[in-house]
């Protein structure tokens, strides 16, 4: 069974640009969450999607958005990039409705804003 | 709101010696607790979880964790450390009242350094 796949692995963008990151969950997983990891703030929850609907949201500005498609693949978008958006963005998927299961993470997308 | 504390930024241990990485939590209700490991430039890899049942949970690569409700702790342990265990370890808690397994609150991480 393939794991969680995130593309691209690395990105370099300029301040003010926008970026889209992609996440393909494990087959059969309908819940996808996104996290931002930085040295200063650690791992912070961005949002979670389930059946194409945002179910939970972390404390991030509106520049951070996401969506989920009918095949459970998810994208997150960051508009008007700032230097502080440089981070490792991690996607996690889990089985829906299984309260005792764990989340599985992708390898992340390393975003560098210059 | 739930929270997790990992009081040690780094733990140093010699190969072959036992290791402990500490974690305490705060959550209303029964906690769902997890340990993940992260190698450089990689994502998080699941090690083990406590949902209910035995307080001693066994996981991947010889790791285990002890759940202690009275001390609100969930320390990660391994009887004999390997150099290859050197990595960043995260403790996480999931709000048991949410319907999702992938909304987690993480600790700040503990870097484990195992030396020969």
């Amino acid at each position: 069974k393939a794991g969680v796949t995130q593309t691209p692995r690395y990105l370099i963008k300029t301040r003010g640009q926008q970026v889209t990151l992609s996440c393909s969950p494990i087959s059969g997983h309908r819940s996808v969450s996104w996290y931002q990891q930085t040295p200063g703030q650690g791992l912070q929850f961005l949002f979670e999607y389930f059946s194409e609907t945002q179910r939970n949201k972390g404390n991030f500005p509106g520049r951070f958005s996401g969506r989920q498609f009918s095949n459970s693949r998810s994208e997150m978008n960051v508009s008007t990039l700032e230097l502080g958006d440089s981070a490792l963005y991690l996607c996690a998927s889990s089985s829906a409705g299984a309260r005792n299961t764990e989340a599985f993470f992708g390898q992340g997308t390393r975003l560098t804003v210059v | 709101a739930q929270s997790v504390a990992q009081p040690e930024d780094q733990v140093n241990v010699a190969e072959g010696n036992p290791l402990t990485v500490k974690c305490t939590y705060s959550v209303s209700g029964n906690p769902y607790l997890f340990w993940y490991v992260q190698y450089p430039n990689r994502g998080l890899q699941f090690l083990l979880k406590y949902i209910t049942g035995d307080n001693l949970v066994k996981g991947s690569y010889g790791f285990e964790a002890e759940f202690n409700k009275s001390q609100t702790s969930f320390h990660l342990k391994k009887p004999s450390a390997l150099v290859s265990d050197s990595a960043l370890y995260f403790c996480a808690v999931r709000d048991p009242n949410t319907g999702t397994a992938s909304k987690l609150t993480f600790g700040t991480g503990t870097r484990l350094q195992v030396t020969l």
Side-chain angles (χ1 to χ4, degrees), chain A residues 33 35 99-100 102-103 107, chain B residues 36 42 49 94 96 102 104:
Chain A
S33 290
Y35 292 82
R99 299 177 69 88
N100 62 348
E102 59 272 20
Q107 298 214 54
Chain B
Y36 286 86
R42 303 294 292 272
K49 64 185 176 186
R94 177 193 143 196
S102 58
L104 300 168

Side-chain angles (χ1 to χ4, degrees), chain A residues 27-93:
Chain A
S27 177
H29 285 189
R30 293 162 59 195
S31 170
V32 174
S33 290
W34 289 88
Y35 292 82
Q36 181 196 65
Q37 185 179 19
T38 60
Q41 299 298 317
L43 277 156
Q44 293 185 287
F45 173 78
L46 279 156
F47 30 65
E48 184 225 354
Y49 285 86
F50 174 74
S51 290
E52 303 177 62
T53 301
Q54 188 180 88
R55 190 157 66 170
N56 289 288
K57 189 177 190 305
N59 188 26
F60 278 81
R63 299 186 297 108
F64 292 81
S65 62
R67 59 177 175 169
Q68 186 179 32
F69 302 94
S70 59
N71 62 358
S72 295
R73 190 177 71 85
S74 177
E75 290 181 345
M76 69 162 280
N77 185 78
V78 188
S79 62
T80 321
L81 284 165
E82 300 176 0
L83 295 179
D85 297 333
S86 295
L88 181 66
Y89 289 88
L90 293 166
C91 168
S93 77

Side-chain angles (χ1 to χ4, degrees), chain A residues 5-44:
Chain A
T5 303
Q6 292 188 245
T7 56
R9 287 293 310 279
Y10 301 93
L11 266 177
I12 300 176
K13 289 287 188 179
T14 304
R15 270 182 305 175
Q17 287 186 314
Q18 74 163 9
V19 68
T20 299
L21 313 181
S22 180
C23 172
S24 293
I26 291 172
S27 177
H29 285 189
R30 293 162 59 195
S31 170
V32 174
S33 290
W34 289 88
Y35 292 82
Q36 181 196 65
Q37 185 179 19
T38 60
Q41 299 298 317
L43 277 156
Q44 293 185 287

Side-chain angles (χ1 to χ4, degrees), chain B residues 2 25-32 67 69 72 93-97:
Chain B
Q2 63 270 17
Y25 66 89
S26 173
V27 65
S28 57
N30 294 321
Y32 288 28
F67 172 69
K69 188 171 184 177
T72 61
V93 65
R94 177 193 143 196
D95 184 342
N97 298 315

